[in-house]
Amino acid sequence: MEPITVIGGGLAGTEAAWQIARAGLPVVLYEMRPQVASPAHHTAELAELVCSNSFGAKASDRATGLLHHELRALGSLIIATADRHQVPAGGALAVDRAQFSRELTETLEHHPLVTLRREELPRLPETGIVVLATGPLTSEALSADLQRFTGLDYLSFFDAASPIVVGESINREVAFLASRYDRGEAAYLNCPFTAEEYQRFWQALCEAEQAPLKDFERENAQFFEACLPVEELARRGVDTLRFGPLKPVGLRDPRTGERPYAVAQLRQEDRHGQLWNLVGFQTNLRWGEQQRVFRMIPGLEQAEFVRMGVMHRNTFLNAPKLLSASLQFRDRPTLLAAGQITGTEGYTAAAAGGWLAGTNAARLARGLAPLVLPPTTMAGALFHYISTAESKTFQPMPPNFGILPPLEQKVRQKALRYAAYRDRALKDLSTWATAMSLPLQPLELDGC
Ligand code: FAD
């Protein structure tokens, strides 16, 4: 049988290659390191953790924790290896990064069905079943080829994303729903500032601490010129924001009947209105600073952030245009994608993508229908989100409860609501796996 090709031996590619081999099929895994260096990796190991050594919160009623549990049940190699190499980190699943990547490299190197090729693949193979998992720093040659394959507008190299907050955490007694000049449907949540509130917010924004750019991001400064961070706009003058992203024109605060001094707008990010994006707030501020300063916006005092604003290099596909929830390219179903390049964000999401793309590549080789995970699971919700989001404004998404379909019955208290999401996800995963004849590993749930 012709081997399946996996391009990229990061978190997603390692998981994908292992799932293919686990299904009894031969796989060739291409990893360009150490022949070709990436600007963020430091070793030649597979599944290197480029920055933090944490896979996020462990508790099953937290978004990453739920995803860990789902992946454990599905038999993920990345999560099983992370569990074996855990180091104490409070409530997080953190690992000894050297041991973690060494064990994964050895596991793949010694697997009889895996051929590890240490070379850059500069072009997509034209035939065969292929999993693309080259990550946020995909090599230049392959990026150019992907642009040719997908079309110029469907591959981004730069992630300039504004923070996203949970709809329920916005104070609707302050923020009001309206569009400028009442044109069309009322589409934005508007947070109105008085002059004093604006002055305090502007001062805090100007003084807030920036996250340092990585060397390779500084070298690629042209990425940043097209789209200025909100704090940089603020530093240009006290009124710059009021004439830019915070302009109040065409809006009246229903509480006063007056035009506010300034307005921060939030745009709905998902179908169910659970997630709202702070329009024009792309930023380089440190994450803690973002929470502190953006909670000074009237109506966002208690805002729960599911994604912080970022401005960094990140190669990612316009998944809503290109991919289906099975992670197959719509126009070439034998080509699948996994990891950060699909527009999911974070280590655990990359492992989840690797699991699904690898499993589906093996199923295609065996003539079986590819799997689509239930949208009520965290993994399924991520892949449904990236394949159905608004393509014009698509930005990468980490695991979070806002992308899950709402519960049938409203649960007011946050902790209980997240536990209810967890219970539904694990129940639906189990029912689905039985229907698909997929064996699930037994799970031990924490304190529930
Ligand atoms: P990667 O792990 O990057 O794997 C892709 C692999 O493909 C690499 O090994 C690369 O060498 C190889 N490759 C690329 N092009 C080719 C080619 N043409 N041929 C062959 N091989 C190729 N997420 C977190 O959860 N926590 C963090 O702390 C974190 N920090 C990050 C820091 C940086 C600088 C960046 C860029 C991202 C960070 N992320 C973080 C986001 C993301 O979770 C990680 O990038 C994660 O490693 C993504 O997994 P992946 O498998 O998609 O890509």
Side-chain angles (χ1 to χ4, degrees), residues 64-334:
T64 47
L66 174 57
L67 192 52
H68 300 153
H69 276 73
E70 293 172 5
L71 287 171
R72 271 183 205 111
L74 291 165
S76 153
L77 177 70
I78 295 285
I79 295 300
T81 311
D83 285 341
R84 271 198 296 282
H85 294 292
Q86 269 192 69
V87 293
L93 174 57
V95 300
D96 177 319
R97 67 174 75 231
Q99 286 180 12
F100 167 80
S101 296
R102 182 88 291 268
E103 182 179 318
L104 285 165
T105 307
E106 282 171 3
T107 305
L108 278 266
E109 275 174 348
H110 295 139
H111 198 294
L113 288 170
V114 180
T115 307
L116 178 56
R117 295 233 169 101
R118 295 288 193 169
E119 57 189 272
E120 176 190 10
L121 214 61
R123 275 181 295 282
L124 283 175
E126 297 205 339
T127 56
I129 300 172
V130 178
V131 177
L132 171 71
T134 44
L137 305 168
T138 296
S139 73
E140 253 176 60
L142 186 61
S143 296
D145 193 53
L146 276 173
Q147 249 181 345
R148 173 199 59 77
F149 174 72
T150 58
L152 271 188
D153 295 339
Y154 295 146
L155 187 71
S156 300
F157 293 100
F158 178 52
D159 188 358
S162 302
I164 295 176
V165 300
V166 175
E168 285 174 349
S169 67
I170 303 169
N171 181 354
R172 302 291 179 106
E173 285 175 16
V174 176
F176 59 95
L177 199 61
S179 289
R180 280 186 212 284
Y181 304 106
D182 292 326
R183 269 190 213 124
E185 211 184 323
Y188 291 84
L189 272 177
N190 299 281
C191 298
F193 287 85
T194 62
E196 296 72 42
E197 287 165 342
Y198 177 81
Q199 182 68 32
R200 274 201 301 276
F201 171 73
W202 173 75
Q203 194 77 39
L205 189 53
C206 291
E207 290 165 2
E209 207 186 330
Q210 300 261 137
L213 289 184
K214 302 252 179 320
D215 287 348
F216 64 89
E217 287 168 339
R218 240 190 311 275
E219 284 156 22
N220 287 281
Q222 78 273 15
F223 285 124
F224 298 88
E225 277 169 22
C227 170
L228 284 174
V230 66
E231 61 276 13
E232 173 60 29
L233 279 177
R235 282 189 213 110
R236 294 191 171 183
V238 65
D239 284 327
T240 311
L241 288 175
R242 269 196 347 112
F243 290 99
L246 269 64
K247 62 178 178 285
V249 294
L251 293 166
R252 285 202 184 281
D253 184 343
R255 289 178 309 169
T256 62
E258 305 282 323
R259 182 162 101 177
Y261 189 72
V263 170
Q265 289 197 303
L266 294 110
R267 185 175 46 225
Q268 191 169 322
E269 186 74 18
D270 66 320
R271 261 175 214 181
H272 304 295
Q274 307 211 89
L275 299 177
W276 292 80
N277 184 314
L278 266 159
V279 180
F281 275 69
Q282 58 276 0
T283 175
N284 263 322
L285 296 184
R286 284 186 181 282
W287 288 10
E289 288 289 83
Q290 292 188 34
Q291 299 218 15
R292 180 179 69 79
V293 177
F294 298 156
R295 283 185 179 149
M296 293 172 75
I297 297 173
L300 298 191
E301 295 82 359
Q302 307 292 329
E304 191 187 323
F305 290 79
V306 300
R307 185 201 157 130
M308 305 313 295
V310 288
M311 298 189 74
H312 60 196
R313 194 172 141 197
N314 187 5
T315 312
F316 64 98
L317 299 162
N318 193 307
K321 282 275 180 213
L322 300 170
L323 300 180
S324 62
S326 58
L327 298 182
Q328 294 169 280
F329 277 74
R330 294 181 206 275
D331 291 345
R332 186 174 149 190
T334 52

Side-chain angles (χ1 to χ4, degrees), residues 7-13 30-33 36 38 40-41 48 50-52 54 119-122 133-139 142 214 216-217 312-313 338-341 345-348 350:
I7 321 173
L11 287 163
Y30 286 88
E31 170 49 58
M32 67 180 186
R33 291 173 293 119
V36 179
S38 120
H41 294 80
E48 178 182 331
V50 279
C51 186
S52 139
S54 167
E119 57 189 272
E120 176 190 10
L121 214 61
T134 44
L137 305 168
T138 296
S139 73
L142 186 61
K214 302 252 179 320
F216 64 89
E217 287 168 339
H312 60 196
R313 194 172 141 197
Q340 190 94 355
I341 199 164
E345 193 169 285
Y347 297 157
T348 311

